[in-house]
Amino acid sequence: MEITRQHILQWLREDDPRRLAELWQQADQVRRDSVGDQVHLRGLVEFSNHCVRSCGYCGLRLGNEVIARYRMTADGILASAHQAVRFGYGTLVLQSGEDEETSTRWMASVVRRVKSETPLAVTLSLGERGRDDLACWREAGADRYLLRFETSNRELFDKIHPSLPGRHSDRIAILHQLRELGYEVGSGVMIGIPGQTYDDLANDIELFRQLRLDMIGVGPYLPHPATPLGQFGDRLAAPPGEQVPNSEEMTYKVVALARLVCPKANIPSTTALATVNKEEGRELGLQRGANVVMPNLTPLEYRRLYEIYPSKACIQERAEDCHHCLSHRIAAIGREVGSGRGDSASHRHRSTPADPG
Ligand code: 5AD
Ligand code: FES
């Protein structure tokens, strides 16, 4: 039976460790039954930290003049793609700030090169882009797109995402466009944004279900001192008892509930989770609903410049280090490294209605 909104809310407010153990167990079981024991590896290349936006929480925001900006070359990205193949990854995730210098054509040519030179699935995570761009990149061979809606509370969204002149954000509309274009669609939220209430978070999880997401990424909100929210976030907090904490435990709850509402989704145990618990955050995420990890392939010289939040995990590790670290962690909890591209089981089902499987 499908979990109701009321139950979602109850779990979000639950703090008895024995009851929570039931939630972890249930999510782990649904994960095993729906997507199996394989943990898929998605190599992440953070290829540009330029950004035209001023999101209240993000260290890459336009106004942050403290960080040096970089943009990798197409050849640099391709070198990382080949490294992903050598490590046995099935997917390359190309992520950047919302960089208007990333032209439609340039990005399409990078996608085309990756698709012709490697067997990798390509996931794009480039922020809010127009339908023509998304269509062109899909045409070029991009398989998946990640765009977190961050919060389903429109008022809160608008507070922390100032609009660009003449352009009002509508990420839900973009997620629908991505679906129409045949992408596997990923979204997600931050947990514990100042002003985010339990009701909001329950609505977010309900929206995961409504959107029938192929991929769901969630992580704790981590205050960045060079951002308005990092400096003045306390003033935005919801009343005590209503404000969602940005805690490790709350993050596991959302991972677990995401698994229950979208059993077949690919759900990463995120870097933000590894940041709040460097010892075992990744593992606990994988044992409470997640089935994906995203080893960082960004060349070391750029890593520390992609500082969306402080003390980010893996900031000094080379691609080889993350590769070995994660392979080891996956084996240590009795799971296997995924083979193949790790496509979305729900997407396959939807896009081939005649398929008896
Ligand atoms: N803390 C946690 N997550 C953050 N992100 C951006 N800034 C922060 C922060 N300060 C997340 C957003 C974005 C993803 C790439 O990183 O959810 O979608
Ligand atoms: Fe990067 Fe463990 S994943 S060091």
Side-chain angles (χ1 to χ4, degrees):
M1 207 185 67
E2 283 205 349
I3 181 169
T4 61
R5 184 174 187 283
Q6 196 53 36
H7 275 122
I8 291 172
L9 255 180
Q10 275 170 14
W11 279 124
L12 292 176
R13 289 185 175 276
E14 181 62 64
D15 55 11
D16 178 346
R18 284 167 309 181
R19 294 292 327 274
L20 284 172
E22 288 170 34
L23 176 61
W24 312 146
Q25 203 269 328
Q26 211 182 322
D28 198 41
Q29 187 65 45
V30 171
R31 186 271 308 155
R32 190 176 304 118
D33 295 344
S34 312
V35 293
D37 275 336
Q38 294 200 348
V39 176
H40 299 289
L41 302 179
R42 322 291 203 200
L44 174 65
V45 183
E46 298 153 331
F47 71 87
S48 161
N49 70 349
H50 287 266
C51 193
V52 297
R53 312 217 42 140
S54 304
C55 301
Y57 47 86
C58 180
L60 304 188
R61 68 202 306 277
L62 181 63
N64 184 4
E65 284 163 3
V66 179
I67 47 166
R69 304 284 173 165
Y70 70 90
R71 207 175 270 124
M72 285 172 65
T73 62
D75 285 342
I77 297 173
L78 264 291
S80 293
H82 288 290
Q83 198 172 26
V85 176
R86 284 198 298 280
F87 290 152
Y89 303 163
T91 299
L92 188 71
V93 181
L94 298 176
Q95 187 176 83
S96 68
E98 220 168 285
D99 182 359
E100 283 184 345
E101 303 282 305
T102 300
S103 74
T104 315
R105 276 183 53 198
W106 179 83
M107 197 68 230
S109 76
V110 171
V111 172
R112 249 183 242 111
R113 279 185 67 188
V114 176
K115 297 299 288 188
S116 67
E117 295 178 28
T118 76
L120 297 166
V122 170
T123 302
L124 300 178
S125 176
L126 316 177
E128 298 176 25
R129 301 283 304 220
R131 192 189 167 98
D132 292 348
D133 290 357
L134 302 173
C136 171
W137 301 331
R138 176 79 187 123
E139 190 88 351
D143 301 276
R144 312 180 186 137
Y145 202 99
L146 303 175
L147 181 67
R148 292 190 181 176
F149 61 77
E150 315 292 2
T151 172
S152 57
N153 177 332
R154 184 75 228 187
E155 208 182 316
L156 178 59
F157 183 95
D158 288 344
K159 249 185 221 161
I160 61 181
H161 299 95
S163 290
L164 291 177
R167 192 140 78 74
H168 192 63
S169 290
D170 188 345
R171 294 195 177 185
I172 307 301
I174 297 175
L175 294 172
H176 286 300
Q177 288 176 357
L178 290 164
R179 176 77 77 210
E180 284 161 23
L181 292 167
Y183 282 95
E184 285 185 28
V185 180
S187 194
V189 298
M190 284 180 294
I191 295 155
I193 307 167
Q196 182 186 51
T197 66
Y198 284 91
D199 267 321
D200 291 335
L201 190 53
N203 291 342
D204 295 345
I205 295 168
E206 283 278 287
L207 189 52
F208 295 165
R209 170 154 55 197
Q210 272 170 30
L211 293 168
R212 294 179 304 145
L213 294 175
D214 298 299
M215 303 169 285
I216 303 173
V218 301
Y221 159 68
L222 299 167
H224 190 306
T227 64
L229 214 58
Q231 290 162 8
F232 312 114
D234 296 348
R235 298 185 200 160
L236 280 181
E242 289 305 319
Q243 172 66 45
V244 171
N246 62 339
S247 66
E248 186 185 352
E249 181 170 272
M250 189 59 66
T251 307
Y252 298 131
K253 289 182 186 179
V254 180
V255 168
L257 292 166
R259 174 59 66 201
L260 299 187
V261 296
C262 293
K264 288 186 184 261
N266 285 319
I267 301 180
S269 187
T270 55
T271 305
L273 200 40
T275 299
V276 290
N277 181 348
K278 295 209 161 67
E279 283 68 45
E280 53 175 4
R282 298 249 195 217
E283 287 85 338
L284 288 172
L286 289 172
Q287 291 171 315
R288 296 172 175 182
N291 71 321
V292 166
V293 287
M294 298 170 66
N296 201 321
L297 285 173
T298 310
L300 209 49
E301 51 192 312
Y302 303 126
R303 279 254 185 139
R304 68 188 168 80
L305 302 177
Y306 206 82
E307 200 201 42
I308 48 188
Y309 47 78
S311 311
K312 195 164 151 228
C314 306
I315 210 84
Q316 292 177 353
E317 277 74 13
R318 297 166 312 151
E320 291 84 338
D321 300 328
C322 291
H323 176 58
H324 291 125
C325 169
L326 289 173
S327 313
H328 179 78
R329 287 173 190 264
I330 291 165
I333 57 169
R335 301 269 282 278
E336 359 162 350
V337 170
S339 57
R341 305 182 352 151
D343 288 318
S344 158
S346 45
H347 188 264
R348 263 200 311 274
H349 198 66
R350 225 188 339 265
S351 47
T352 51
D355 181 347

